[in-house]
Amino acid sequence: LDVNFAPYINFKGESRGVVVVLHDITDIRRLEKMRSDFVANVSHELRTPITSIKGFTETLLEGAMQDEETCRNFLQIISDESERLYRMIRDILDLSKIEQKRIPLHISQVHLQELIASTVAIINDQAQRKQLTIQLPGQESDISLMTDKDCLQQIVLNLLSNAVAYTPEGGSITILARHDEAEQQLKIQVIDTGIGIPEKDIPRIFERFYRVDKARSRDSGGTGLGLAIVKHLVENLHGQIRVESKEGRGTTFTVTLPLV
Ligand code: ADP
């Protein structure tokens, strides 16, 4: 609380008391704290892959290069970590642009089933490597809406990437799209049969850099920013996102977008 005092003097110059102005600065402080936490988090997150790249490079230079297999393993780690660093920087920049609403929306008519099919195509290789089945019921129906295509594709892609990353081999992923005439809204659901999210973590998963299991997220190449980006993109489209999950059973993300 910011407190200011001033004497209250009437038109005759007589002192009548004191004016106290109480200024609630909770919001300002909270924003400042969020910003400094963000910078601290970013620095920490960027340092992790760099430390590993540096460490493995030094070990190679110090002689580990003689053994071809070790050399190959280390180079693979260096390559993976550089990739992750690249993705992290891209996500941080995307997130800050999205948060500041610096990305203008390009509204056009979007055919939802087409958009879903082209998004699945991007991730299909990865899904096949884990023998995951991707089901798209109702793919023949034509649902269209006026929205920002790239924005919506990014939302579906991030949710789908997570479904692939957090579903063990042989599992299945279903993408449902439904037009709710009465509510004038559109519902997209990404349903997986994966590891699920513990109840206590659910409220925090949309925070930047929050992960239920850091090691697993890192192994899957995660940056911890995917869902923070999704949440902001959904809000930019005036929609809502919900999650239901059971540990060991699977997770369902539901995005609702207004049709008008
Ligand atoms: P990450 O890059 O770590 O995947 P996200 O922001 O996309 O970051 O997700 C945050 C965390 O939420 C993940 O680390 C993971 O613990 C959890 N999560 C997200 N999607 C799923 C899912 N479909 N199934 C299980 N856990 C999930």
Side-chain angles (χ1 to χ4, degrees):
L1 214 58
D2 195 18
V3 187
N4 284 305
F5 295 93
Y8 173 51
I9 294 164
N10 72 5
F11 64 98
K12 291 184 198 147
E14 298 160 345
S15 175
R16 281 280 173 245
V18 189
V19 181
V20 182
V21 180
L22 301 174
H23 190 191
D24 183 356
I25 54 168
T26 326
D27 271 357
I28 301 170
R29 281 284 142 75
R30 200 170 49 84
L31 277 177
E32 273 170 12
K33 184 166 179 342
M34 265 170 66
R35 216 164 284 147
S36 69
D37 284 354
F38 180 57
V39 173
N41 277 337
V42 166
S43 319
H44 174 78
E45 296 287 337
L46 293 180
R47 203 172 290 146
T48 323
I50 291 174
T51 306
S52 140
I53 292 170
K54 207 160 157 273
F56 283 103
T57 316
E58 277 163 10
T59 317
L60 281 175
L61 289 173
E62 279 160 12
M65 234 168 0
Q66 261 78 37
D67 181 48
E68 200 188 315
E69 202 190 324
T70 314
C71 191
R72 200 164 281 284
N73 282 342
F74 285 11
L75 285 175
Q76 189 61 53
I77 298 173
I78 293 170
S79 161
D80 291 347
E81 290 293 274
S82 318
E83 274 287 324
R84 203 158 68 84
L85 195 56
Y86 169 80
R87 276 199 302 275
M88 216 175 256
I89 293 169
R90 182 201 58 196
D91 283 0
I92 291 168
L93 292 177
D94 279 357
L95 187 60
S96 91
K97 273 190 258 172
I98 298 163
E99 275 186 342
Q100 294 170 26
K101 301 206 173 19
R102 274 196 282 135
I103 303 180
L105 294 178
H106 298 289
I107 306 295
S108 67
Q109 182 163 34
V110 176
H111 294 276
L112 196 56
Q113 313 295 355
E114 258 173 56
L115 180 134
I116 291 174
S118 67
T119 315
V120 170
I122 299 174
I123 204 113
N124 217 15
D125 268 1
Q126 242 168 295
Q128 267 178 6
R129 251 175 275 141
K130 289 180 82 178
Q131 278 138 35
L132 301 175
T133 331
I134 300 186
Q135 290 165 324
L136 308 171
Q139 193 57 8
E140 60 295 335
S141 60
D142 178 29
I143 303 177
S144 70
L145 78 160
M146 296 299 288
T147 191
D148 184 302
K149 190 173 173 203
D150 292 342
C151 201
L152 186 55
Q153 178 149 37
Q154 185 77 57
I155 293 169
V156 178
L157 181 62
N158 286 12
L159 294 178
L160 196 53
S161 308
N162 280 348
V164 170
Y166 300 106
T167 302
E169 293 211 351
S172 81
I173 297 166
T174 307
I175 308 177
L176 275 180
R178 232 187 357 255
H179 182 166
D180 186 343
E181 196 88 53
E183 301 267 355
Q184 280 291 297
Q185 63 184 16
L186 197 118
K187 215 181 234 178
I188 304 168
Q189 288 184 304
V190 179
I191 306 162
D192 68 49
T193 60
I195 59 169
I197 305 167
E199 210 178 316
K200 67 166 176 36
D201 295 297
I202 289 185
R204 302 200 57 190
I205 55 167
F206 293 101
E207 287 174 22
R208 313 161 173 134
F209 300 120
Y210 190 83
R211 291 117 158 184
V212 175
D213 178 346
K214 280 218 177 231
R216 190 193 283 265
S217 160
R218 198 161 295 140
D219 288 346
S220 72
T223 63
L225 291 170
L227 286 180
I229 292 178
V230 166
K231 180 142 195 282
H232 279 96
L233 288 173
V234 170
E235 280 167 5
N236 283 1
L237 296 182
H238 308 289
Q240 281 166 345
I241 183 158
R242 237 184 29 235
V243 56
E244 286 153 275
S245 190
K246 273 240 149 58
E247 255 188 290
R249 300 282 289 279
T251 304
T252 298
F253 281 93
T254 306
V255 174
T256 320
L257 295 175
L259 272 174
V260 281

